Amino acid sequence: MRSEQPKMIYLKDYQAPDYLIDETHLTFELFEDHSLVHAQLVMRRNPACAAGDPGNDLPPLVLDGQQLELLALALDGQALTEADYQLSDSHLSLQPKAASFVIDSSVRIHPESNTALEGLYKSGSMFCTQCEAEGFRKITYYLDRPDVMSKFTTTLSAEQHRYPVLLSNGNPIASGPEETAAGKSVRHWATWEDPFMKPAYLFALVAGDLWCVEDSFTTMSQREVALRIYVEPENVDKCQHAMDSLKKSMRWDEETYGREYDLDIFMIVAVNDFNMGAMENKGLNIFNSSCVLAKAETATDAAHQRVEAVVAHEYFHNWSGNRVTCRDWFQLSLKEGFTVFRDAEFSADMNSRTVKRIEDVAYLRTHQFAEDAGPMAHPVRPDAFIEISNFYTLTVYEKGSEVVRMIRTLLGSEGFRKGSDLYFERHDGQAVTCDDFIKAMEDANGVDLSQFKRWYSQGGTPRLAVSEAYDAAAKRYSLTFSQSCPATPGQSEKLPFVIPVELGLLVAQGGELPLRLAGEAAASGTSRVIAICEAEQTVIFEDVAERPLPSLLRGFSAPVKLSFPYNRDQLMFLMQHDSDGFNRWEAGQQLSVQVLQELIGQHQRGEPLVMDQRLIAALRSVLDNQQLDQAMVAEMLSLPGEAFLTEISEVADVEAIHSAREFARLQLAEALYEPLWQRYQDNRDVSRSSTYIAEDQHFARRSLQNIALSYLMLSSKPEVLAACLEQFEACDNMTERLTALAVLINSPFGAEKAKALASFADFFKDNPLVMDQWFSVQAASALPGALARVQQLMQHPAFTLKNPNKVRALIGAFAGQNLVNFHQADGSGYRFLADQVITLNALNPQIASRLLAPLTRWGKYDAARQSLMKAELERILASGELSSDVFEVVSKSLA
Ligand code: B3K
Ligand code: ZN
């Protein structure tokens, strides 16, 4: 908790550090009721700043430190007394006497009562750390900023029996039993040395009773790397998928980026209590157990894919983040946007590229676009923040990745690789900025990306309106693009972006035209990337013998809201004929959106709902097409979600959206019952006669099987109930079991539902990750009474507010996924969420602040809901001493 009003920090105020820390020697003594941290910092004046030093005057040394009890402090071996330094609740300042010096400090900290899960804390019986972004200052006094890079040596000691495994970054160099004056003690110690310079945010330590799954990897230069995944003993059977994913990632980064791993050992540790997905600490990644543990019986296909992606993401950070790191936290997307792009491409290569792109785009458009339209909107490179923890956002990560993707689209794969090679070579071992990244791309390709860089500095989602004109006599077709970008906090005027639009032109027979732009001598290709740089820009195509139908923004080539006046027949045509798989799906989504919006209007006017039968026809032909990848069929059958329909509404009518969508699902279920039943049975037969495999074709098969089941169950037919119960009881994997449970929960079959919920919980009660899923499916159920159910589930023995996964699974799923219940007109959902935020503010500010997001979206709703939501934000603001995390989000939401 803060004791002063939190301050805004600005990018424009960045200054290089006054001092550097060449070496950091840490000693941790871990005990049950406190821990001691001794730090020796070998420091010197930063030569980059020293030129201006008048005479021998040195600036004061100001170290960061929070919640530390200072026990001893020495400068060059001389103990300092209170008169020699100044101490506040966030800093320790003293006056160095020479340009090089050594600081020794000893502090006492309390990991055992650290519920914020930042700094050194306990997860269950193990000690672990989370230092990014500013957690290291809760461990010792330090220059806790990413541009201060140091060589770390770490010794940790703990009771041998409770903590047989002692880990830190780098290589183990010594260990042994602790000797005391009285002889050997029950404690032991280990020393680790990290040969690579790193900022403090990449420091890590683990002590616990852990088992390890071991493997090895031979790098492209034939070095052997030991790979170890450390988990609690009951989880050793759930590590194989993560290990396979790690090896694939290591190979992929060699093949795709020419990047090799650098230490002799790479470790992953799974912990149950973790604020985020995982953390890329040098050589010692610490993971939320949900992103490591996966086996058929306990983890869904989605969980397997998430493990693969997160393992890859953290591994890729070794180059994009660790060896080349950020100069300051405003540059966070330098490592996160780039690394998300890298992991997305990895997943695309390992699985279906089109399906991966569809999932990512659907997520971006639903959630990042909403963030961009809300009070916390910020550019990919923010220029101010109060609490950096609040800026680990969809904008920095997902939109940041889209920005890197656009660079690749503009430069081509080869040009992009040249740029990334230059970036890594030029900046290896440095802390740099987004400008440095762009400069490397420019220099390697001889291009000017200065206008493109507006993607880093301007927030908000650009709109791109497209209109067409056709001149039959001249055989000339033109497209006019108009871009604009809505105002975002602190940015009222926006300059034009560079928007790469990949496009093609379809003709009536379903083929695609070779493209010749005005001024070109000959046509080349049927799909082209055109950079839209002006506020309004017309692109002219020659030799166009008939009026074509454009396929625009193929593969979602830019994160914009594109509009073109397609009619429904044209969308159905694109669904069938577009050569771009992403755009075939996109045409189906646009058709669904048009049909759903019509139903929403009918509902609002109190008219009977009548659905356009063309949607049924379109989806019937998708279902009948045995050539289509089954995952694509599943994606096409998935109607746009309620959250997406909310995002694209001017004022979201929660009940109308829910009723319209449910009505459409029921219509589809009835009309397509036969083909859905066939597809369900075919795939269930395969599942029944084979064992679970976590591979693409099987993910695809199960995704169609499961979406078919969810439609079929709407019919309430006894044969479907029987099939659902059979799947629930007889399947060998969590993907099928959880879907069966979820569709049962949302069905009218009360007795079967209760029985299934009880047997599931009884069987999996000792597996916290499975219980998270059990909480989530109940919290997300749109049936009436969800809030009461959630409140009741909070009393369940498996629930605790202290575990972030539990909070997300129950409260987060209710507020984020169960829109019709969360937005109850009486405001009960809002009141409940605010109560939880107030409680969590004291326990875990980062989780409290993230949980708040649904309340910040008040601008989307009707006046009555707006005032209820704002009243809850006001109540949080007045609730007492707020963490800087919660304060920033609430105050900006009310501004
Ligand atoms: N770099 C970490 C983020 C941790 C932030 C905690 N406030 C995870 C990742 O993006 O890989
Ligand atoms: Zn990351």
Side-chain angles (χ1 to χ4, degrees), residues 368-369 371-381 383 395 399 451 453-463 482-499 533-536 559-560:
Q368 195 279 324
F369 282 16
E371 182 170 277
D372 246 351
M376 283 293 288
H378 54 276
V380 166
R381 182 186 54 216
D383 27 45
T395 301
K399 187 176 180 181
Q451 186 188 345
K453 286 211 286 190
R454 288 176 190 156
W455 283 107
Y456 285 94
S457 57
Q458 297 187 148
T461 307
R463 284 152 211 252
S482 309
Q483 58 163 305
S484 61
C485 185
T488 44
Q491 295 185 329
S492 46
E493 299 297 323
K494 311 281 169 88
L495 295 167
F497 291 87
V498 177
I499 302 178
C533 308
E534 312 292 330
E536 187 170 300
V560 301

Side-chain angles (χ1 to χ4, degrees), residues 377-635:
H378 54 276
V380 166
R381 182 186 54 216
D383 27 45
F385 58 72
I386 292 176
E387 172 54 63
I388 183 57
S389 296
N390 284 328
F391 285 79
Y392 286 75
T393 58
L394 296 157
T395 301
V396 166
Y397 276 64
E398 265 63 38
K399 187 176 180 181
S401 161
E402 294 298 320
V403 171
V404 176
R405 179 179 298 278
M406 287 189 285
I407 297 174
R408 192 190 58 177
T409 300
L410 291 166
L411 299 180
S413 298
E414 264 179 49
F416 183 76
R417 172 67 195 269
K418 274 195 249 165
S420 74
D421 282 351
L422 182 61
Y423 169 70
F424 288 129
E425 275 153 34
R426 195 182 260 180
H427 299 297
D428 191 6
Q430 298 177 1
V432 303
T433 64
C434 299
D435 290 323
D436 294 315
F437 180 76
I438 295 288
K439 187 81 171 60
M441 291 290 161
E442 290 180 324
D443 291 353
N445 289 278
V447 295
D448 177 0
L449 294 171
S450 42
Q451 186 188 345
F452 180 86
K453 286 211 286 190
R454 288 176 190 156
W455 283 107
Y456 285 94
S457 57
Q458 297 187 148
T461 307
R463 284 152 211 252
L464 189 60
V466 190
S467 60
E468 62 175 354
Y470 181 58
D471 179 344
K475 294 189 178 173
R476 186 171 287 147
Y477 178 72
S478 61
L479 289 170
T480 298
F481 295 83
S482 309
Q483 58 163 305
S484 61
C485 185
T488 44
Q491 295 185 329
S492 46
E493 299 297 323
K494 311 281 169 88
L495 295 167
F497 291 87
V498 177
I499 302 178
V501 177
E502 183 172 352
L503 51 74
L505 300 179
L506 278 75
V507 285
Q509 304 80 356
E512 301 197 3
L513 293 179
L515 301 177
R516 177 160 85 90
L517 297 175
E520 289 180 348
S524 79
T526 53
S527 204
R528 298 274 288 268
V529 176
I530 294 178
I532 303 300
C533 308
E534 312 292 330
E536 187 170 300
Q537 188 170 332
T538 298
V539 180
I540 299 170
F541 301 89
E542 307 283 6
D543 308 329
V544 182
E546 63 177 289
R547 178 185 280 272
L549 186 61
S551 164
L552 300 165
L553 210 69
R554 288 182 153 170
F556 201 64
S557 58
V560 301
K561 290 189 179 180
L562 179 114
S563 59
F564 181 85
Y566 290 117
N567 64 39
R568 294 183 197 176
D569 293 325
Q570 291 173 324
L571 291 170
M572 288 177 70
F573 184 84
L574 289 172
M575 273 178 86
Q576 299 250 347
H577 299 290
D578 200 320
S579 64
D580 184 76
F582 175 85
N583 268 16
R584 281 200 302 277
W585 170 80
E586 172 65 2
Q589 290 290 293
Q590 284 190 40
L591 177 64
S592 304
V593 165
Q594 288 193 16
V595 171
L596 288 165
Q597 285 180 332
E598 192 169 64
L599 291 171
I600 290 168
Q602 292 166 358
H603 184 279
Q604 288 172 326
R605 293 188 297 274
E607 297 166 8
L609 303 190
V610 184
M611 189 169 92
D612 187 336
Q613 299 295 300
R614 281 176 288 186
L615 183 59
I616 293 173
L619 295 183
R620 182 188 299 281
S621 72
V622 168
L623 262 175
D624 288 345
N625 185 346
Q626 300 290 336
Q627 311 311 316
L628 265 182
D629 169 13
Q630 301 213 70
M632 275 299 282
V633 178
E635 291 292 351

